[in-house]
Amino acid sequence: MGAYRSTGEFKRDQNYITSRITADGRDGYPVEPGRYRLVVSRACPWASRAIIVRELLGLQDVLSMGVCGPTHDQRSWTFDLDPGGRDPVLGIERIQDAYFARFPGYERGITVPCIVDVTTGQVVTNDYAQITLDLSTEWTAFHAPGAPQLYPAALRAEIDEVNDLVFRDVNNGVYRAGFAGSQEAYAAAYERLFARLDWLSERLSTRRYLVGDQITEADIRLFTTLVRFDAVYHGHFKCNRNKLTELPVLWNYARDLFQTPHFGDTVNFDHIKRHYYEVHRDINPSGIVPLGPDLSGWDLPARPVGPRI
């Protein structure tokens, strides 16, 4: 997942396979219905982005999806949810098999989400940030009628700016706190995280969405962290100045998205909790999965417009 600097600061490994599936096929992978399989885990926030985008754009019949179980070992995510522990389309037990099919002895992170070329059984890309942008911009010929524009050209500069801040301080910030190797590194990550959450609360106090007046890529990227906050990051990663439910603006914003089709119905809290608490034995040696928190609040009505407190 990452390494540590001498200061004890967690540094995420961001060396991904950057081949792209495009309308013109310039990397050798043209957009084709039925050719590719998106592989995800509902436990993973980075993969959850791709799940939401695929459904919002109506690509379910064009791009199939394989779902790994919530836990994995040092080698790979596995298809233990499928009969016989084998993906029914790719015919493999571990996603590492698709990586090795293209790069024998692949030594970097074997991650989800990734997209596999079904015709060859080889991984195409695991560049999670680019995957969702390409689904929005390169697969347009197959978008469902009326599908939202999640990365509209007129808003891209602002979306990119917000995404960069949210990734640094929130999406990755919770990991920088949770996997910090020193008190100082943890404190710095903690302060940056909550300063950014306060900034986001202020930004969202008078608007429904992060950029413009519609759901965009920016909302999806923030949502997948917020939906995991109280269940995992508050306790497991020591991000405990406040729970999400104690931040009125962000709590209302997150509920509003959760209750939007293709957001909350893609979330599996059991998978989320099992992944973090069972896999991260350096943080949770017992592997005990907490029974809480109470999730009923996600169904409380959200105020969809105007100031949120």
Side-chain angles (χ1 to χ4, degrees), residues 10 32-33 35 51 110 114 131 176 213 234 236 260 266 283:
F10 171 74
E32 293 181 18
R35 175 172 172 177
I51 298 172
I110 295 175
C114 66
I131 285 173
R176 291 175 66 245
D213 59 359
H234 178 271
H236 186 60
T260 299
T266 69
I283 299 176

Side-chain angles (χ1 to χ4, degrees), residues 84-161:
R86 189 177 296 273
D87 181 83
V89 172
L90 300 175
I92 58 178
E93 296 179 352
R94 293 176 172 272
I95 193 56
Q96 73 175 11
D97 296 342
Y99 282 74
F100 291 164
R102 184 175 176 194
F103 302 107
Y106 185 80
E107 294 182 349
R108 288 182 286 174
I110 295 175
T111 59
V112 293
C114 66
I115 298 181
V116 179
D117 184 348
V118 177
T119 62
T120 64
Q122 297 179 357
V123 67
V124 176
T125 180
N126 65 340
D127 188 352
Y128 65 87
Q130 192 62 49
I131 285 173
T132 52
L133 298 182
D134 283 344
L135 291 179
S136 285
T137 59
E138 300 291 336
W139 292 69
T140 53
F142 300 101
H143 288 181
Q149 292 190 45
L150 301 176
Y151 195 51
L155 297 177
R156 285 179 192 175
E158 187 176 0
I159 291 171
D160 290 346
E161 179 182 6

Side-chain angles (χ1 to χ4, degrees), residues 18-285:
T18 56
S19 304
R20 292 175 61 189
I21 300 168
T22 57
D24 63 7
R26 57 186 176 270
D27 286 356
Y29 298 102
V31 170
E32 293 181 18
R35 175 172 172 177
Y36 304 100
R37 188 159 177 81
L38 173 67
V39 178
V40 300
S41 168
R42 296 188 187 277
C44 172
W46 321 101
S48 292
R49 300 175 177 184
I51 298 172
I52 293 170
V53 169
R54 172 180 172 268
E55 296 207 5
L56 284 171
L57 298 178
L59 293 172
Q60 296 95 321
D61 294 335
V62 177
L63 175 64
S64 69
M65 188 172 77
V67 182
C68 295
T71 62
H72 60 77
D73 57 24
Q74 292 182 342
R75 290 185 291 164
S76 177
W77 295 85
T78 56
F79 293 101
D80 48 284
L81 301 177
D82 293 304
R86 189 177 296 273
D87 181 83
V89 172
L90 300 175
I92 58 178
E93 296 179 352
R94 293 176 172 272
I95 193 56
Q96 73 175 11
D97 296 342
Y99 282 74
F100 291 164
R102 184 175 176 194
F103 302 107
Y106 185 80
E107 294 182 349
R108 288 182 286 174
I110 295 175
T111 59
V112 293
C114 66
I115 298 181
V116 179
D117 184 348
V118 177
T119 62
T120 64
Q122 297 179 357
V123 67
V124 176
T125 180
N126 65 340
D127 188 352
Y128 65 87
Q130 192 62 49
I131 285 173
T132 52
L133 298 182
D134 283 344
L135 291 179
S136 285
T137 59
E138 300 291 336
W139 292 69
T140 53
F142 300 101
H143 288 181
Q149 292 190 45
L150 301 176
Y151 195 51
L155 297 177
R156 285 179 192 175
E158 187 176 0
I159 291 171
D160 290 346
E161 179 182 6
V162 171
N163 283 347
D164 286 345
L165 295 172
V166 169
F167 171 79
R168 184 191 68 191
D169 298 335
V170 182
N171 300 146
N172 196 46
V174 293
Y175 287 85
R176 291 175 66 245
F179 288 114
S182 71
Q183 186 70 37
E184 292 74 18
Y186 161 72
Y190 174 101
E191 294 297 339
R192 284 176 61 175
L193 166 65
F194 282 100
R196 185 60 59 197
L197 291 178
D198 290 341
W199 179 85
L200 287 163
S201 289
E202 179 64 26
R203 183 180 181 92
L204 289 163
S205 64
T206 56
R207 60 172 74 191
R208 185 174 185 180
Y209 302 119
L210 279 172
V211 181
D213 59 359
Q214 63 195 78
I215 291 172
T216 68
E217 177 82 14
D219 298 296
I220 295 164
R221 294 189 181 192
L222 178 57
F223 172 78
T224 59
T225 294
L226 294 183
V227 80
R228 288 162 172 76
F229 201 89
D230 288 5
V232 175
Y233 303 141
H234 178 271
H236 186 60
F237 278 175
K238 307 180 184 69
C239 299
N240 60 355
R241 191 197 78 179
N242 303 99
K243 296 177 181 177
L244 176 64
T245 55
E246 297 167 349
L247 299 170
V249 171
L250 288 178
W251 176 222
N252 195 78
Y253 164 80
R255 294 200 320 278
D256 185 19
L257 290 175
F258 186 87
Q259 294 166 24
T260 299
H262 311 309
F263 279 81
D265 52 9
T266 69
V267 174
N268 187 311
F269 284 108
D270 177 64
H271 282 204
I272 290 168
K273 291 196 297 181
R274 286 185 55 200
H275 171 73
Y276 286 91
Y277 287 100
E278 291 184 20
V279 172
H280 298 162
R281 292 302 179 100
D282 50 342
I283 299 176
N284 186 43

